[in-house]
């Protein structure tokens, strides 16, 4: 079936994913334990406001560029990342260096290529911010993958850093498409479609294939085999988050809980899984982002567009 998605519909889908991403980021931040220890979930969640971090700040820039340009304009995205970068939002050291270079006038291709002694970043930062872009492209996983690549390249020159973003965007596109169709995809079909969009020689591809083989296993087994983001690389983060999202695609609180209990880079794993799941569930719906959680999350920035 083909259909037309009007820009404001794309934005509404992306904004629901962004709510899921930001609430996951903010809850994960309340549970984050330096050193990546595993923490216990508490049903009585800490009192708000829950502050969001770099994951949400960068995701808001991605959505703003999509709303303003209709697609990813890499120069505009680099400027948005650099101009809106707030050091208090717990950016990683590599991102701080890169964003300060861009802010001081270094072209983004030069800054991104120079990162990590010229290897480029394979961190999870391009994946953590991209789920709303996938929801925006609910009508085309191919377009979601291409645009995710463009959005990643601004900061991540390493193929694994880019692959992590492509994987998350394709998963979110399929989740948003499933929402429009009213038809939840089988977890194995969701992860299979993600692996089809990735380079088979890559570590992220291997990890997502492993995640598919672990469907139906316990979260502990999934974490042991896939990682939990404690190395903050794409390959150590994305496979587990997509396992969590595929397993709990119709249950946002369960997806967030499994990320929190996994430990590691909790704000980012919860942001990725939350962004994908909310692209399917929406907000304030059965299984969606709970209204109380949304109310406890610090408001999103005032510059985030509400229409295209
Ligand atoms: Mg963060």
């Amino acid at each position: 079936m083909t259909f037309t998605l009007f820009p404001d519909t794309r934005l509404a889908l992306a904004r629901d994913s962004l709510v899921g991403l930001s609430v996951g980021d903010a809850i994960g931040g309340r549970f984050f334990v330096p050193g990546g220890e595993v923490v216990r979930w508490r049903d009585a969640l800490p009192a708000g406001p829950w502050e969001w971090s770099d994951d949400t700040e960068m995701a808001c820039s991605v959505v703003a560029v999509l709303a303003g340009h209709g697609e990813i304009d890499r120069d505009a995205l680099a400027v948005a990342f650099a101009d809106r970068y707030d050091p208090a939002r717990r950016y990683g050291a590599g991102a701080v260096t890169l964003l300060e270079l861009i802010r001081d006038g270094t072209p983004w291709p030069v800054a991104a290529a120079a990162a990590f002694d010229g290897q480029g970043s394979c961190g999870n930062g391009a994946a953590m911010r991209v789920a709303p872009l996938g929801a925006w492209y609910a009508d085309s996983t191919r377009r979601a993958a291409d645009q995710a690549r463009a959005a990643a390249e601004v900061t991540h020159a390493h193929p694994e850093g880019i692959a992590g973003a492509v994987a998350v965007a394709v998963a979110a596109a399929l989740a948003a498409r499933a929402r429009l169709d009213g038809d939840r995809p089988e977890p194995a079909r969701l992860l299979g479609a993600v692996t089809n969009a990735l380079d088979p020689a890559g570590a992220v591809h291997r990890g997502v294939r492993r995640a598919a083989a672990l469907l139906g296993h316990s979260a502990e087994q999934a974490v042991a085999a896939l990682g939990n983001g404690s190395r903050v690389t794409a390959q150590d983060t994305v496979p587990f988050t997509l396992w969590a999202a595929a397993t709990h695609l119709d249950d946002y609180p369960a997806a967030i809980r499994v990320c929190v209990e996994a430990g590691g880079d909790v704000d980012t794993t919860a942001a990725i899984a939350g962004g994908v799941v909310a692209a399917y569930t929406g907000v304030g719906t059965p299984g969606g982002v709970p209204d109380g959680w949304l109310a406890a999350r610090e408001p999103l920035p005032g510059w985030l567009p509400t229409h295209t």
Side-chain angles (χ1 to χ4, degrees), residues 249-265:
L249 194 64
D250 59 358
D251 189 344
Y252 179 87
I256 297 303
R257 176 177 178 154
V258 88
C259 290
V260 166
E261 290 186 329
D265 193 5

Side-chain angles (χ1 to χ4, degrees), residues 25 53-55 267-268:
D25 173 18
S53 74
D54 53 341
D55 311 53
D267 62 320
T268 290

